[in-house]
Amino acid sequence: MEALYFNIDSGYIEALVRGYRNGLLTAAQYVNLTQCDTLEDLKLQLSATDYGNFLSNESGVLSTSLIGTKLNDSLVAQFRYLKAQSSEPLAQLMEYITYGYMIDNVALMITGTVHERDRSEMLERCHPLGWFETLPTLSVATDLESLYETVLVDTPLAPYFHDCLSVDDLDDMNIEIIRNTLFKAYLEDFASFAKTLPSPSDEVMARLLSFEADKRTINICVNSLNTELTPDDKLKMLPGLGKLANPAFQDQVAHADDLEQLKMVVTSIGEYKGFFDDSNGKSMEDHFYEYEMGLCKDAFTQQFTYSAVWAFIRSKEQEIRNIAWISECIAQNQKDRINNYIAAY
Amino acid sequence: MSAISESTKHRTLVAAIGDEDTITGMLLAGIGQVTNEPGKEKNFFVTSESTKVEDLEKKYTEFTTRDDIAILLINQHLADKIRLLIDTFTKPFPAILEIPSKDHPYDPEKDSVLRRVRRLFGE
Amino acid sequence: MSGAGNRESVFPTRMTLSLMKGKLKGAEQGHSLLKRKSEALTKRFRDITKRIDDAKRKMGRVMQTAAFSLAEVSYATGGNIGYQVQESVSNKARFKVRARQENVSGVYLPQFEPVIDETINDFKMTGLGRGGQQVQRAREVYTKAVETLVDLASLQTAFVILDEVIKVTNRRVNAIEHVIIPRTENTIAYINSELDEVDREEFYRLKKVQEKKQQAVAAEEAEDAARKALMTEAQKADEATKVEELEKKVEAEQINVIEENEEDVIF
């Protein structure tokens, strides 16, 4: 029955998203891109894709950072358009998507504030998708308590701050912990929201989010090896969903002292077996991205889903990373690594 | 000659002037030091497209006159903007080192020191 | 006179002559020593310049690899970490340098050595959520790159110092070779010519004296011959005393000459 009414509110959006998805670069187009010798060539190749002549207004020498910015702009434009057209519950879902960027922006603003940096400079660096009206006023805060009471309480992020209000001083380590604690709360909240979505969106979202959570769990544990973070600190940051979320696993990964112990735990999950395989020069991150792209691709096989939006955003982000990577390889003449991109479509 | 050894003893820092990527890399290597001491707040300077030449000159002069800097790294394309200052800097300390940046590969023809090398050998 | 050239203003005596000779010898010795120093430095200098050239080219490659590792970071983190990195810098540098000194022919060349304090890591938390491994790898790559740069900086500082020292040494060598040695030689030549002049005057004077003496003798002999006939045996005894007197006179004259000589010197 869900499918019957889906198109009333969201048919247009889904059509749009699928259209956008078809605009994502294909493997053949990637091959063309990797053949480029200069960034100008790359620009030419990209103009034959959905990006069109997004670089044509740029005079002067092309730089990789410029390309990156422009690519990002195109993502933001697409996202905003979708959001403007969306109705409930998709609008809510898209709100949730922006929260992730908001957390990054808040962390950035706090970092900058701690070091008394220029506010306009910081705002420039904030991700446009994570923008909210009171973001600029964040720089008035000196400690988390006042930050919460004056600014954040009015933002959708407020509930996430409950867990980390105990942090009393804002230094770099704490900010990173805050960021990850917020993310944990955000993911958990997002997941519980996703459950309310009509089937099959909820299933797809659950899959995607649980992987996102596992990715964070693994990353946090790997990256916090050899730091002074205690297992308790880590446990606080590990999201309570995903395949690694059961207490036994969490306890094990948090207490792992070296990579081998971590590997043991993670590879005991069938799907994640290959993550630590670095035989063909792939890093853990590459495996994550690859796996995630697989999930996103699968997400499009279901019809009448809201999750397609999320899958599309992730795919697009990956594509931006890919193009940035390829242009970086071209600019720096490191052609032997150029094929490290992950093309899912 | 002992005067040199005295003055070099305190020179332990590596300073850097460069674009964001270069500085990020240098900072990852750990050269950065931020203190509250006046005149020695930071030993690195991030430039962007909009950085003015005057600011560049000011920072350059600041770093070359600080007594705790042994080596000053500067992106070559930035060095080009203040070439005269660099060419006329003849003191052995700090050592001025022109380094390439991501978007500007290294060009030995422009390097002040290498040009001196060439001149000496009459090339 | 030979003093027309560039020479020191000295009195041309044998004393100054020996002084000057000593000076010339010293200058020549100094010249050869400095020349050898300069050669040793130049050898080192050429060695260094060659190494600088190589190192600078190598640096280009090393920096490229390093920049690439940063590209990997932004690929993994999906964003720019520059800002975060800048803000994470603490008040103590992890990577410092220490200057060691190396002695090349009396010139102290500083040699920078990287000093890495492994207890300091400002970026442990950077990329905790994602990309942390790439950040740590980039950190290592950049540490290596900066080490290369430090080596290069040592070479370059050595280059600047050596350049300066060689210039100074060469100036000294040239000064000795083209100013001090010719001047001393000129002075010696001047003193020699002056002394020769005095010798010649002396010789001429002695000759003149001898001539006078011979004239006197000849005149006396003529007188003698004229008087001989008139002379008696008794007169012969008188003659002997006269000869004695003459000898005394010559002696006195000789003393006079020497005195004159000395006057000349004083004058």
Side-chain angles (χ1 to χ4, degrees):
Chain A
M1 283 303 276
E2 291 288 349
L4 208 61
Y5 300 115
F6 183 88
N7 278 347
I8 298 174
D9 281 333
S10 307
Y12 176 55
I13 298 279
E14 193 180 10
L16 265 183
V17 169
R18 284 180 190 273
Y20 284 154
R21 175 221 171 282
N22 279 342
L24 292 174
L25 300 185
T26 62
Q29 280 167 320
Y30 276 121
V31 170
N32 284 345
L33 290 184
T34 57
Q35 303 299 319
C36 297
D37 285 328
T38 63
L39 291 182
E40 284 297 327
D41 285 356
L42 188 85
K43 177 177 159 184
L44 210 66
Q45 286 289 347
L46 281 177
S47 65
T49 69
D50 248 26
Y51 287 105
N53 33 17
F54 75 119
L55 285 170
S56 61
N57 287 336
E58 296 305 325
S59 55
V61 188
L62 278 175
S63 71
T64 52
S65 51
L66 180 74
I67 294 178
T69 324
K70 286 281 156 192
L71 290 170
N72 233 338
D73 287 351
S74 91
L75 167 70
V76 173
Q78 287 181 342
F79 184 87
R80 290 213 170 121
Y81 186 70
L82 287 177
K83 192 153 179 264
Q85 302 291 332
S86 62
S87 57
E88 292 299 329
L90 184 60
Q92 186 65 31
L93 175 81
M94 295 189 83
E95 277 295 322
Y96 267 103
I97 294 176
T98 61
Y99 294 169
Y101 300 103
M102 277 189 202
I103 293 176
D104 279 340
N105 285 354
V106 168
L108 186 111
M109 289 300 282
I110 299 177
T111 322
T113 311
V114 170
H115 294 97
E116 291 160 9
R117 289 288 288 250
D118 185 33
R119 194 194 332 178
S120 58
E121 195 187 328
M122 291 189 292
L123 291 174
E124 247 171 57
R125 288 161 189 273
C126 286
H127 198 289
L129 288 186
W131 182 270
F132 54 96
E133 264 174 28
T134 45
L135 189 64
T137 50
L138 271 182
S139 55
V140 298
T142 48
D143 61 295
L144 206 58
E145 196 92 23
S146 68
L147 191 76
Y148 177 74
E149 272 162 21
T150 54
V151 189
L152 291 170
V153 75
D154 294 328
T155 69
L157 297 182
Y160 308 151
F161 271 88
H162 280 305
D163 281 338
C164 49
L165 276 178
S166 55
V167 179
D168 23 52
D169 55 336
L170 293 170
D171 61 22
D172 296 306
M173 181 158 151
N174 281 333
I175 287 167
E176 210 44 41
I177 291 175
I178 290 173
R179 184 207 298 268
N180 286 293
T181 320
L182 286 178
F183 234 98
K184 162 201 155 96
Y186 156 68
L187 276 177
E188 286 167 0
D189 189 34
F190 198 173
S192 66
F193 164 76
K195 282 203 184 87
T196 66
L197 290 171
S199 172
S201 296
D202 58 344
E203 292 158 29
V204 180
M205 282 311 288
R207 253 202 309 276
L208 287 166
L209 287 176
S210 91
F211 174 68
E212 181 70 24
D214 284 340
K215 192 171 89 176
R216 290 198 81 81
T217 305
I218 298 173
N219 252 325
I220 288 173
C221 290
V222 169
N223 295 331
S224 61
L225 293 174
N226 306 321
T227 61
E228 57 259 45
L229 282 180
T230 62
D232 284 340
D233 287 336
K234 292 186 203 172
L235 277 176
K236 261 197 278 175
M237 293 188 280
L238 301 184
L241 63 148
K243 296 197 168 69
L244 287 168
N246 79 53
F249 277 151
Q250 285 203 337
D251 200 51
Q252 279 182 34
V253 291
H255 282 90
D257 297 325
D258 57 41
L259 202 59
E260 287 308 314
Q261 290 183 26
L262 258 178
K263 266 189 200 171
M264 288 253 294
V265 184
V266 176
T267 49
S268 67
I269 294 167
E271 290 92 327
Y272 302 165
K273 241 187 169 60
F275 282 180
F276 290 96
D277 173 27
D278 50 5
S279 52
N280 44 2
K282 278 187 175 164
S283 69
M284 199 174 75
E285 217 74 36
D286 290 333
H287 286 293
F288 286 156
Y289 285 144
E290 209 165 345
Y291 189 83
E292 191 181 355
M293 282 308 106
L295 289 179
C296 288
K297 199 177 174 185
D298 290 348
F300 282 108
T301 57
Q302 295 271 12
Q303 284 224 305
F304 309 124
T305 59
Y306 300 113
S307 52
V309 176
W310 169 261
F312 164 71
I313 299 290
R314 302 303 275 183
S315 307
K316 181 90 178 178
E317 278 194 332
Q318 179 62 35
E319 180 177 292
I320 290 172
R321 275 196 296 271
N322 286 341
I323 298 175
W325 171 259
I326 290 172
S327 60
E328 204 69 65
C329 287
I330 291 170
Q332 299 188 27
N333 235 333
Q334 298 268 354
K335 286 292 184 59
D336 45 333
R337 299 281 306 277
I338 203 165
N339 289 318
N340 261 21
Y341 62 88
I342 290 145
Y345 300 99
Chain B
M1 285 299 161
S2 66
I4 287 180
S5 79
E6 267 310 300
S7 67
T8 50
K9 211 172 276 173
H10 309 290
R11 292 186 183 271
T12 54
L13 289 183
V14 182
I17 299 177
D19 58 20
E20 181 156 15
D21 279 348
T22 310
I23 297 295
T24 305
M26 294 300 149
L27 293 182
L28 280 178
I31 66 159
Q33 176 162 313
V34 179
T35 64
N36 294 325
E37 209 178 323
K40 295 183 179 178
E41 285 92 356
K42 279 183 183 175
N43 62 344
F44 55 92
F45 179 56
V46 182
T47 64
S48 61
E49 292 293 315
S50 54
T51 305
K52 288 198 218 62
V53 176
E54 295 89 78
D55 292 340
L56 209 59
E57 283 174 350
K58 219 172 78 199
K59 276 288 164 188
Y60 176 81
T61 322
E62 183 195 317
F63 287 153
T64 47
T65 44
R66 261 175 76 165
D67 59 0
D68 55 350
I69 290 177
I71 301 171
L72 172 59
L73 307 172
I74 179 164
N75 272 153
Q76 197 174 36
H77 68 278
L78 299 174
D80 281 342
K81 292 189 188 165
I82 50 167
R83 182 57 66 198
L84 187 70
L85 267 182
I86 295 181
D87 278 344
T88 47
F89 185 83
T90 50
K91 277 184 250 164
F93 295 104
I96 312 287
L97 215 53
E98 289 173 35
I99 56 173
S101 68
K102 201 182 75 185
D103 301 323
H104 301 80
Y106 185 68
D107 180 5
E109 300 305 317
K110 287 183 187 156
D111 194 295
S112 282
V113 171
L114 276 187
R115 280 197 311 188
R116 255 171 90 181
V117 172
R118 297 240 149 65
R119 220 169 31 236
L120 278 169
F121 293 111
E123 279 170 35
Chain C
M1 245 182 152
S2 57
N6 182 11
R7 65 168 171 85
E8 285 170 55
S9 48
V10 290
F11 294 117
T13 62
R14 291 195 186 280
M15 176 72 172
T16 17
L17 181 67
S18 73
L19 260 177
M20 278 301 142
K21 278 188 174 157
K23 195 174 167 184
L24 180 66
K25 212 173 157 195
E28 270 163 358
Q29 208 162 31
H31 176 252
S32 86
L33 275 176
L34 279 176
K35 187 108 184 161
R36 253 186 290 169
K37 176 180 173 181
S38 152
E39 270 159 14
L41 292 179
T42 312
K43 183 174 173 291
R44 180 66 182 229
F45 187 65
R46 280 179 183 271
D47 183 39
I48 282 178
T49 44
K50 200 177 158 301
R51 271 162 62 197
I52 284 190
D53 217 44
D54 292 347
K56 288 241 169 186
R57 277 162 222 279
K58 185 180 157 212
M59 172 193 76
R61 289 196 301 277
V62 171
M63 290 303 291
Q64 205 173 33
T65 325
F68 197 65
S69 76
L70 207 57
E72 279 176 358
V73 172
S74 45
Y75 178 72
T77 57
N80 197 336
I81 61 158
Y83 192 72
Q84 215 184 331
V85 166
Q86 278 171 46
E87 296 309 339
S88 309
V89 173
S90 68
N91 61 355
K92 260 189 109 57
R94 181 180 87 101
F95 194 111
K96 287 186 173 188
V97 292
R98 184 176 49 208
R100 209 162 39 87
Q101 309 232 322
E102 200 194 348
N103 189 339
V104 178
S105 314
V107 182
Y108 287 96
L109 298 179
Q111 193 90 38
F112 294 118
E113 277 175 359
V115 182
I116 297 171
D117 189 343
E118 288 297 351
T119 59
I120 301 173
N121 185 355
D122 300 337
F123 312 110
K124 266 180 196 158
M125 295 296 151
T126 310
L128 184 62
R130 64 207 249 206
Q133 283 180 306
Q134 276 76 12
V135 171
Q136 297 310 320
R137 200 172 314 138
R139 205 172 70 104
E140 280 158 31
V141 175
Y142 263 99
T143 308
K144 292 238 164 59
V146 178
E147 277 170 15
T148 319
L149 292 179
V150 168
D151 283 347
L152 184 53
S154 307
L155 286 177
Q156 195 177 298
T157 315
F159 170 83
V160 175
I161 292 179
L162 271 182
D163 187 29
E164 192 54 34
V165 172
I166 287 176
K167 262 189 211 149
V168 170
T169 314
N170 280 344
R171 248 194 317 261
R172 284 192 193 140
V173 170
N174 287 342
I176 291 178
E177 195 178 324
H178 296 293
V179 179
I180 296 183
I181 289 182
R183 193 157 75 179
T184 317
E185 278 170 346
N186 274 347
T187 315
I188 289 172
Y190 159 71
I191 296 175
N192 274 336
S193 71
E194 208 66 352
L195 286 179
D196 282 353
E197 188 77 13
V198 172
D199 275 354
R200 271 196 297 280
E201 273 172 24
E202 173 73 11
F203 183 65
Y204 185 72
R205 197 190 310 274
L206 283 178
K207 258 186 144 175
K208 272 279 184 220
V209 169
Q210 215 166 17
E211 206 182 280
K212 285 272 185 220
K213 211 166 87 184
Q214 274 166 358
Q215 275 173 1
V217 171
E220 258 169 52
E221 270 172 7
E223 234 172 87
D224 279 356
R227 280 182 202 164
K228 221 171 192 176
L230 307 172
M231 288 288 179
T232 59
E233 298 266 300
Q235 272 175 324
K236 269 179 192 169
D238 264 6
E239 219 176 36
T241 51
K242 263 189 190 167
V243 171
E244 253 173 43
E245 269 175 17
L246 195 79
E247 272 172 1
K248 270 182 194 161
K249 195 181 163 194
V250 169
E251 249 171 52
E253 237 171 26
Q254 264 176 340
I255 291 166
N256 263 348
V257 168
I258 290 169
E259 276 170 0
E260 264 176 24
N261 244 343
E262 274 170 358
E263 263 172 359
D264 207 44
V265 168
I266 292 160
F267 174 71

